[in-house]
Amino acid sequence: MITQLKLFRSSFLDFIDDPFYESEETSVRYLADGLLVVESGIIIDFDDYNILKDKYQGFTITHYPDLLILPGFIDTHIHFPQTEMIASYGEQLLEWLNQYTFPIERKFSSKEYAQKIASFFLDELLKNGTTTALVFATVFPQSVDAFFEEAYRRNLRMISGKVMMDSHAPDYLKDTPETSYQDSKRLIQTWHKKGRLLYAITPRFAITSSREQLKIAGKLLTEFPDVYLQTHLSENLKEVEFVAGLFPEAPNYLGVYDQAGLVGERSIFAHSIHLTPDEFKRLSEAKSAIAFCPTSNLFLGSGLFKLHQAKSKTHPINVGLGSDIGAGTSFSLLQTANEAYKVAQLQNQTLSPFQALFLATLGGAKALKLEDKIGNFDIGKEADFIVLDYNSTPLMRLINQQISEPQTRLKIAETIFSLIILGDDRAIQATYIMGERAYSKE
């Protein structure tokens, strides 16, 4: 058993509380020279190196001097079938779906093709430091099988589900309420909690699901209360208007989902840009979460997410970052945080470096109700973490030349901000899954 111990020494940064509500002094944990001890994939010890070194004398230590170890990034909204259509030019949401998304997703009726893209997609996530993601597949159940097979082979903590879509879509992508129920049930029974995998019931959005299908999604949630619900909400003004016309009986867009029993503690709503105060309040009451997708929202011209309203003290909501590939423009949650900072700036608000990093780590874990398993370096959690090089480009070396190894929280805040604004996959030196190296830049 002793031989299974893995020790890692470096600078470490994580969060033990939410910096949107608590001071950075009490919410940020920074060890300039720390030691992380992992046994069978689980963190069993974590503290300053000088405190622990005698306890683990004689053990081999993997040392990353002048680098920074963070918990693995958590992406709360992304579409694996849209990997190859990233950077598709020139449309807003509804037109973009019809012109680009639906034809691409048709290819995923082939499981072989789905496996090829899933493998590339997961490799790309690891290369960018993302260790957990909430992932849309397609309407084809074989695309879900392909994704989960690839994720299981890599021992990843991933969440995904079959898209449910029986309305306002091409015939080649439609299912029915009954087939979506049977397919989803089979997939849940096959994959939910197999290894580190989890399932999400996935109606695409209100426009593409009939009332009957939304109720079927609610029935599945009742039958399998520990699975997730993921969908889109209030991304685009034309979409909001369309939904209001389709469901005139609902008080608002969120109300469409609420009437079907889809608004709960394990529900994650992507985008949520154009919410009313009542919708923010309801999400808070239900303890649902929002996936904030800034690169996608800017790329499609959808609008500016009201992050500070979502994170208000009056009606607090768990928020995570979503890359939303392929409307999103980068797999990197560093780049996603970069755009999140600008979205806040455009609304005369601030997003601190620590708040942005929290959204990508413990904030994402809380949004996915996984903070007992991932998100920081607490003892007992799964050892998914990343090694970052804040001097990974000549420009970053130039601006960080005064900092050989940051020694104070103020200096590390400056370094984190430079990583967020200038960093991307080149900053990821290594990615570890359950204490095993799954990606190395070298």
Side-chain angles (χ1 to χ4, degrees), residues 250-371:
N252 47 46
Y253 194 158
L254 183 64
V256 174
Y257 297 133
D258 218 355
Q259 290 173 351
L262 304 182
V263 182
E265 291 190 12
R266 301 179 73 80
S267 302
I268 299 92
F269 296 96
H271 306 297
S272 303
I273 299 170
H274 305 289
L275 298 184
T276 65
D278 284 346
E279 288 172 300
F280 275 113
K281 183 179 179 182
R282 175 63 186 133
L283 287 171
S284 178
E285 290 170 350
K287 298 181 180 177
S288 300
I290 293 173
F292 173 24
C293 309
T295 72
S296 167
N297 298 158
L298 295 171
F299 180 73
L300 292 179
S302 300
L304 305 177
F305 174 60
K306 302 177 184 69
L307 175 62
H308 284 70
Q309 190 167 351
K311 297 295 290 182
S312 74
K313 292 185 177 179
T314 311
H315 301 297
I317 300 168
N318 283 323
V319 177
L321 288 179
S323 64
D324 194 25
I325 300 298
T329 54
S330 175
F331 277 86
S332 170
L333 284 192
L334 292 172
Q335 283 297 293
T336 305
N338 175 342
E339 298 303 314
Y341 171 80
K342 296 170 191 172
V343 167
Q345 285 283 84
L346 286 167
Q347 299 173 87
N348 294 313
Q349 296 167 346
T350 57
L351 178 64
S352 79
F354 289 135
Q355 288 173 334
L357 197 60
F358 170 82
L359 293 177
T361 55
L362 186 59
K366 286 178 176 291
L368 299 179
K369 300 294 185 286
L370 288 173
E371 68 270 27

Side-chain angles (χ1 to χ4, degrees), residues 368-419:
L368 299 179
K369 300 294 185 286
L370 288 173
E371 68 270 27
D372 63 325
K373 292 181 170 61
I374 56 174
N376 65 14
F377 296 119
D378 284 354
I379 291 171
K381 293 196 179 182
E382 297 164 352
D384 290 353
F385 60 89
I386 55 178
V387 184
L388 286 99
D389 180 2
Y390 41 81
N391 292 317
S392 57
T393 68
L395 179 59
M396 291 170 75
R397 279 196 296 276
L398 177 68
I399 65 172
N400 287 322
Q401 61 185 336
Q402 304 301 322
I403 311 171
S404 60
E405 186 171 340
Q407 295 294 325
T408 67
R409 193 173 42 79
L410 179 61
K411 284 185 178 179
I412 196 66
E414 295 171 357
T415 302
I416 291 295
F417 190 64
S418 72
L419 266 171

Side-chain angles (χ1 to χ4, degrees), residues 97-337:
L97 286 171
N98 286 304
Q99 183 167 338
Y100 299 114
T101 306
F102 293 154
I104 284 286
E105 291 192 1
R106 186 178 195 173
K107 296 181 181 181
F108 289 78
S109 62
S110 162
K111 185 179 178 185
E112 182 182 3
Y113 188 79
Q115 283 179 311
K116 171 188 167 186
I117 299 299
S119 180
F120 180 91
F121 169 88
L122 291 169
D123 288 347
E124 200 69 17
L125 286 183
L126 293 173
K127 177 183 173 184
N128 281 276
T130 296
T131 54
T132 291
L134 178 60
V135 182
F136 271 61
T138 70
V139 72
F140 304 111
Q142 56 268 37
S143 70
V144 186
D145 287 320
F147 175 79
F148 277 140
E149 286 170 13
E150 291 297 318
Y152 183 75
R153 188 165 62 81
R154 291 166 171 79
N155 196 29
L156 300 176
R157 184 162 286 290
M158 289 284 158
I159 313 168
S160 188
K162 182 200 113 64
V163 170
M164 303 169 73
M165 187 160 60
D166 69 346
S167 305
H168 302 102
D171 288 342
Y172 59 77
L173 280 186
K174 284 183 183 176
D175 56 10
T176 69
E178 179 59 25
T179 61
S180 67
Y181 173 78
Q182 295 297 342
D183 287 341
S184 298
K185 186 172 182 177
R186 194 269 300 171
L187 289 163
I188 292 168
Q189 292 169 335
T190 303
W191 292 110
H192 186 56
K193 294 188 173 179
K194 181 174 181 178
R196 305 176 73 206
L197 306 174
L198 299 164
Y199 195 86
I201 295 160
T202 309
R204 184 176 217 113
F205 64 150
I207 290 173
T208 52
S209 283
S210 63
R211 287 173 180 79
E212 184 182 0
Q213 188 171 66
L214 291 174
K215 287 179 181 177
I216 285 289
K219 180 183 178 184
L220 285 164
L221 276 179
T222 301
E223 293 176 359
F224 301 96
D226 63 348
V227 303
Y228 294 87
L229 181 286
Q230 63 172 341
T231 191
H232 300 81
L233 173 66
S234 295
E235 180 177 357
N236 171 283
L237 287 172
K238 286 185 180 178
E239 168 209 6
V240 175
E241 185 181 347
F242 197 171
V243 170
L246 290 173
F247 300 90
E249 73 282 3
N252 47 46
Y253 194 158
L254 183 64
V256 174
Y257 297 133
D258 218 355
Q259 290 173 351
L262 304 182
V263 182
E265 291 190 12
R266 301 179 73 80
S267 302
I268 299 92
F269 296 96
H271 306 297
S272 303
I273 299 170
H274 305 289
L275 298 184
T276 65
D278 284 346
E279 288 172 300
F280 275 113
K281 183 179 179 182
R282 175 63 186 133
L283 287 171
S284 178
E285 290 170 350
K287 298 181 180 177
S288 300
I290 293 173
F292 173 24
C293 309
T295 72
S296 167
N297 298 158
L298 295 171
F299 180 73
L300 292 179
S302 300
L304 305 177
F305 174 60
K306 302 177 184 69
L307 175 62
H308 284 70
Q309 190 167 351
K311 297 295 290 182
S312 74
K313 292 185 177 179
T314 311
H315 301 297
I317 300 168
N318 283 323
V319 177
L321 288 179
S323 64
D324 194 25
I325 300 298
T329 54
S330 175
F331 277 86
S332 170
L333 284 192
L334 292 172
Q335 283 297 293
T336 305

